[in-house]
Amino acid sequence: MSGILYLCATPIGNLGDITPRVLETLKAVDLIAAEDTRNSIKLLNHFDIHTAMTSYHEYNKVEKAAYLIQKLQEGNNIALITDAGTPAISDPGEILVKMCQESGITVTSLPGASACITALTLSGLSTRRFCFEGFLPADKKERREILEDLKKESRTIILYEAPHHLIKTLEDLYTTLGNRKLTICRELTKRFETVLPTTLQDALVRYQQEEPRGEYVLVIEGKSLAQFQKEQEADWQLISIEDHMQLYEQQGIPRKEAMKQVAKDRGISKRDVYQYFLEKA
């Protein structure tokens, strides 16, 4: 029988956040696949765990996954851990999970700490609907396309960023999204945890004067209905009222109903539309 792959969440800062189930599993498995063995050995030593480790990271994620699949098929149980948080979230673990499923190998997840969810709950922004983007790509074209998508996003947006890229990312976000509400979370669960409700503009000013330090989670307000309507109204101003009317009348909509819809689109009264055509007559 094949072994089982265990996705084991590790603390994002405070070691007390590790679960008893994860500790039991890390002691019981045959092998631990770690993002950085030099980092993970500190965690294992702290909890007196002596299970063998092997590295599994972004730069060996495909070929090493094949090796781990083979070990699992031989009946070995393997635990996958990252430097911090839940494996397979913005992490090469997703490749291993996919390959395990394709090979018929059982995968189970042991829940625990996750920086994106921790930051969202602390943000003070809407938590009912959200999207997680992870790190923005370095490639300029791909980055621009994603930022344009985020510009239209109505859900709360969660991003990760490293300190040396923070200012550039804030600049790109402010340029594309405008001055949205933003909560900056830094050093989550650690001694100097910081949660800063601010705006993109104010955050940019702050970090142009203050050197960014630590790992950041950015929680950004989604586009509001009012913003969406305002932009739609601005778009309609690019065409004449006659052309606007024609768009609806070509669809077979009666003139009175078309006038009503044009007025609604442009944020004016139906009387204003009627008066416009009266004056044009």
Side-chain angles (χ1 to χ4, degrees), residues 2-275:
S2 296
I4 297 173
L5 176 68
Y6 295 88
L7 307 179
C8 295
T10 54
I12 58 176
N14 192 314
L15 293 180
D17 291 335
I18 200 164
T19 69
R21 185 178 172 212
V22 166
L23 290 176
E24 291 168 8
T25 300
L26 293 177
K27 291 176 181 177
V29 293
D30 301 294
L31 182 66
I32 296 171
E35 183 178 5
D36 187 336
T37 55
R38 296 166 301 179
N39 182 67
S40 295
I41 194 66
K42 300 172 188 175
L43 176 74
L44 299 187
N45 285 342
H46 180 84
F47 290 105
D48 196 28
I49 297 170
H50 305 286
T51 307
M53 271 198 300
T54 188
S55 64
Y56 179 74
H57 48 70
E58 182 66 28
Y59 302 104
N60 69 357
K61 62 186 178 185
V62 177
E63 60 269 27
K64 195 56 170 286
Y67 166 78
L68 295 172
I69 293 288
Q70 181 181 341
K71 299 293 285 185
L72 287 159
Q73 289 173 332
E74 292 170 357
N76 294 285
N77 291 320
I78 298 176
L80 178 67
I81 60 175
T82 69
D83 284 348
T86 301
I89 299 294
S90 194
D91 174 82
E94 66 177 316
I95 301 296
L96 180 57
V97 171
K98 180 183 178 184
M99 291 176 67
C100 281
Q101 290 181 345
E102 290 171 349
S103 301
I105 294 168
T106 300
V107 181
T108 189
S109 183
L110 282 59
S114 173
C116 62
I117 297 300
T118 303
L120 178 65
T121 60
L122 291 171
S123 69
L125 298 174
S126 175
T127 61
R128 190 177 70 84
R129 298 172 64 246
F130 63 92
C131 69
F132 173 65
E133 192 60 47
F135 290 92
L136 290 175
D139 180 79
K140 289 183 179 180
K141 182 181 177 183
E142 189 181 355
R143 186 182 182 95
R144 186 165 57 249
E145 289 173 353
I146 289 176
L147 285 167
E148 284 299 320
D149 283 343
L150 293 179
K151 183 179 179 179
K152 302 185 285 283
E153 181 59 68
S154 62
R155 296 170 294 179
T156 300
I157 301 161
I158 307 171
L159 300 175
Y160 288 162
E161 195 49 274
H164 53 289
H165 291 144
L166 181 65
I167 293 175
K168 171 61 176 169
T169 293
L170 289 172
E171 288 173 343
D172 289 346
L173 289 167
Y174 179 61
T175 300
T176 309
L177 275 60
N179 194 25
R180 303 271 187 96
K181 288 182 181 178
L182 160 74
T183 297
I184 296 178
C185 297
R186 172 183 167 276
E187 299 292 276
L188 288 168
T189 77
K190 299 178 184 177
R191 182 180 177 187
F192 297 107
E193 176 180 277
T194 304
V195 178
L196 176 65
T198 182
T199 64
L200 285 170
Q201 184 180 44
D202 289 346
L204 192 51
V205 171
R206 179 190 183 103
Y207 287 107
Q208 284 171 340
Q209 300 170 351
E210 173 187 317
E211 183 185 1
R213 293 185 178 182
E215 299 301 315
Y216 291 85
V217 184
L218 309 179
V219 188
I220 307 159
E221 175 187 42
K223 177 184 283 188
S224 68
L225 180 59
Q227 287 173 315
F228 179 79
Q229 290 173 333
K230 186 175 180 180
E231 288 181 12
Q232 281 296 104
E233 288 172 15
D235 288 342
W236 286 121
Q237 305 307 318
L238 299 176
I239 65 172
S240 68
I241 291 180
E242 289 98 330
D243 289 342
H244 198 160
M245 279 285 292
Q246 195 174 27
L247 284 173
Y248 287 114
E249 289 180 318
Q250 285 174 345
Q251 297 173 46
I253 297 173
R255 191 166 180 78
K256 278 190 176 181
E257 285 301 312
M259 279 184 155
K260 189 185 294 183
Q261 189 59 50
V262 167
K264 182 180 179 182
D265 289 344
R266 302 175 84 92
I268 59 180
S269 70
K270 184 182 173 184
R271 179 177 291 181
D272 290 334
V273 178
Y274 178 78
Q275 186 64 34

